[in-house]
């Protein structure tokens, strides 16, 4: 096989194997970091957007931060601070042109899994993700008090199945704390939902009445002591009927995502001091605009790693040039032009950049999977980090270009190598 | 009529800062296949003359014609290509490329020529075989000095040059090996009808050449002839 430019470049890279591998690794790290961040940013935003499903707005108790209410009520990050009374909910439902308005209450838990008390409409009208209605993997949805339905992940984590009986815990105890268990009321698992790839998968669902009874029972026990007996629906007072949120969708023409009345309804509710209204889409957008400031910094850091990688290529090649001056001089005598020498060095630099970029892409694919796995394990956030081919291509080409630019300095040094000076006999 | 392998006319050269010409050669012609020993003391400009012939230095005046082509009239890559295809160079310390085997060193010379790539390996192997190199895939640093010189000779002849320049080719060798090395260079050039300009100050080489010149005689700069 003839000696070609590829041979010269390959031999040069092989002659400095350690520095070739090191510089490639640095470039790969920068590329991987950047691609993982870009992929995760998009996937995270999609995952959050997906969780709000087909609701238009979330209405909750007064004087709360809209973003916090969305995070609490839709993404189960905590328990809402204030509540709405049932009669308030009925008034809201009657007053505004809602296609549907579903009451929800958060506050109890089962072995750390959040319990969402709601109505059957939650399964028939609300869709956890756009165009993805609920479906059951097993059993049915609840149709009477003290029945529960498990989200797909909640079933997996708890090991419960249809027919099992459980007791719920008041609030969500912190790690290591025991919490108050409502052991007076046993719940029966009647269904397990199919996975939806949203945070709802880690929730346990029950009906509102049983949630109210649990807390009414506490009230009655405090007031009546052992004479309280077992609390039933008939013992409920209006003050027991509290909810923490309303998932609402305004009337919308078929095919449209948001109804024309949305803005008007939203503005009116915003002016109402007795409620807090939030549009999940907007709040998620706000959240990501805050996060994007942070990830811009991280992406900038990844870019710095890439630039440092390119600078390393430059230094390594420059140093190599110093050692290869005699070789360059010999090649010149053999008929190699200055331009070709220049091209060889720039290409060698670009090859290191390309190798780093390819390795970086491979690492980023694995890295994204690991980060996505951690997000799912820790937050139940189903992120699908599929790197956009356009973005990957841009990062790869950008890296190669950056490496080629880094090769210019050693290439100029090689171009200017004095042939005569470097051909003096070796002592 | 065939152009001489080398024709130097009124060549004058001085390094920047020098008050007098280092070289001032009125004329020197070397026909195809002719061999000449150019002797001279150290510092007289023997290597400088070779660099001028190779087109690595620009003369202050005069012309250097290699196979009828004024090498200094060629610019940039054209001059490099011409040098690679018309002139073979044998260095005192061989300057073989590290990281390349013996045969690859020979093929490297062809990498900048118009010889079809498919022929490179065959030609290089044949050359090395002719020069009794039995381990063409060995690294030069693992070869004896004599073998390294043969590889260097093969590289110089790889593109069938019209002119071979040898710069103190025996300076690195002991007297016994020096004779063998010169036999090798001279015979290889004769076989290929390449002219040989051997620059050396070794008196032992004088008898090997029918034609010898003294740089001091050629160089009229010192006598003010320039």
């Amino acid at each position: 096989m003839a000696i070609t430019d590829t041979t010269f470049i390959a031999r040069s890279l092989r002659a400095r194997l350690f520095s070739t591998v090191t510089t490639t690794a640095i470039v790969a790290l920068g590329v991987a970091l950047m691609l993982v961040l870009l992929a995760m940013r998009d996937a995270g935003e999609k995952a959050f957007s997906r969780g709000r499903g087909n609701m238009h707005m979330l209405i909750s108790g007064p004087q709360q931060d809209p973003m916090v209410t969305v995070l609490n009520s839709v993404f189960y990050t905590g328990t809402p601070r204030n509540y709405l009374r049932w009669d308030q909910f009925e008034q809201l439902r009657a007053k505004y042109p809602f296609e549907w308005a579903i009451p929800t209450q958060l506050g109890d838990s089962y072995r750390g899994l959040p319990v969402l008390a709601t109505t059957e409409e939650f399964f028939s009208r609300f869709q956890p993700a756009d165009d993805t209605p609920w479906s059951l993997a097993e059993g049915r949805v609840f149709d009477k008090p003290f029945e529960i339905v498990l989200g797909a992940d909640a079933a997996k984590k708890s090991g419960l199945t249809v027919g099992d009986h459980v007791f719920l815990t008041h609030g969500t105890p912190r790690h290591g704390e025991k919490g108050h268990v409502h052991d007076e009321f046993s719940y029966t698992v009647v269904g397990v939902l199919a996975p939806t790839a949203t945070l709802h998968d880690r929730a346990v669902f029950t009906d509102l009445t049983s949630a109210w009874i649990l807390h009414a029972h506490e009230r009655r026990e405090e007031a009546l002591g052992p004479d309280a007996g077992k609390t039933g629906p008939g013992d409920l007072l209006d003050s027991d009927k509290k909810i923490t949120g309303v998932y609402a969708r305004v009337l919308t023409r078929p095919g449209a995502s948001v109804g024309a009345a949305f803005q008007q309804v939203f503005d009116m509710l915003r002016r109402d001091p007795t409620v807090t209204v939030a549009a999940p889409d907007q709040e998620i957008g706000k959240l990501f605009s805050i996060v994007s400031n942070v990830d811009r910094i991280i992406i900038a850091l990844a870019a710095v790693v890439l630039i440092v990688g390119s600078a390393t290529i430059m230094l390594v090649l420059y140093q190599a040039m110093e050692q290869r001056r005699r070789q360059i001089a010999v090649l010149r005598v053999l008929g190699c032009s200055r331009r070709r020498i220049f091209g060889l060095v720039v290409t060698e630099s670009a090859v290191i950049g390309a190798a780093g970029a390819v390795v970086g892409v491979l690492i980023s694919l694995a890295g994204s999977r690991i980060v996505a796995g951690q997000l799912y394990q820790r937050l139940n956030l189903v992120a699908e980090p599929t790197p956009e081919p356009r973005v990957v291509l841009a990062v790869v080409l950008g890296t190669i270009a950056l490496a080629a630019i880094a090769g210019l300095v050693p290439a100029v040094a090689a171009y200017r190598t004095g042939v005569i000076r470097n051909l003096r006999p070796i002592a | 009529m065939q152009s001489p392998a080398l024709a130097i006319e009124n060549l004058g050269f001085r390094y920047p800062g020098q008050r007098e010409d280092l070289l001032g050669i009125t004329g020197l012609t070397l026909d195809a296949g002719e061999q000449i020993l150019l002797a001279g003391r150290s510092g007289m400009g023997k290597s400088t003359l070779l660099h001028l012939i190779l087109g690595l230095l620009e003369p202050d005046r005069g012309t250097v014609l290699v196979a009828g082509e004024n090498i200094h009239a060629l610019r940039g890559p054209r001059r490099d290509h011409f040098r690679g295809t018309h002139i073979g160079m044998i260095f005192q310390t061989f300057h073989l490329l590290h990281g390349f085997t013996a045969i690859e060193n020979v093929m490297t010379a062809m990498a900048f020529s118009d010889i079809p790539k498919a022929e490179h390996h065959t030609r290089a192997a044949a050359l090395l075989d002719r020069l009794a190199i039995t381990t063409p895939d060995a690294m030069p640093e693992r070869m004896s000095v004599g073998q390294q010189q043969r590889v260097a000779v093969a590289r110089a002849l790889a593109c069938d040059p019209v002119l071979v320049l040898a710069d103190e080719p025996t300076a690195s060798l002991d007297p016994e090996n020096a004779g063998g090395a010169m036999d090798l260079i001279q015979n290889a050039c004769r076989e290929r009808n390449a002219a040989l300009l051997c620059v050396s100050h070794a008196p032992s080489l004088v008898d090997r050449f029918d034609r010898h010149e003294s740089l001091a005689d050629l160089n009229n700069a010192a006598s003010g002839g320039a």
Side-chain angles (χ1 to χ4, degrees), chain A residues 185 212-213 216-217 219-220 224 228-238 240-241:
Chain A
F185 299 94
W212 292 336
I213 289 172
H217 184 71
R219 171 183 57 76
R220 292 182 70 244
L224 304 171
K230 192 154 186 176
T231 306
D235 298 314
L236 292 175
L237 303 176
D238 284 347
D240 294 322
K241 296 179 180 175

Side-chain angles (χ1 to χ4, degrees), chain A residues 74-89:
Chain A
V74 185
F75 300 108
Y76 305 97
T77 56
T79 307
R81 197 160 40 85
N82 296 335
Y83 58 87
L84 294 168
R85 296 185 319 277
W86 183 253
D87 63 302
Q88 257 183 300
F89 163 66

Side-chain angles (χ1 to χ4, degrees), chain B residues 11-53:
Chain B
L11 185 69
F13 178 82
R14 73 174 69 170
Y15 283 106
Q18 280 189 331
R19 298 179 67 182
E20 290 183 340
D21 284 352
L22 175 67
L23 290 173
I25 299 173
T26 311
L28 175 68
T29 303
L30 199 58
D31 289 327
E34 194 178 3
Q35 300 192 347
I36 182 171
L37 175 70
L38 185 63
R41 294 190 318 274
S42 292
M44 283 201 73
K46 298 191 297 290
S47 294
T48 301
L49 176 61
L50 295 185
H51 294 148
L52 281 161
I53 296 169

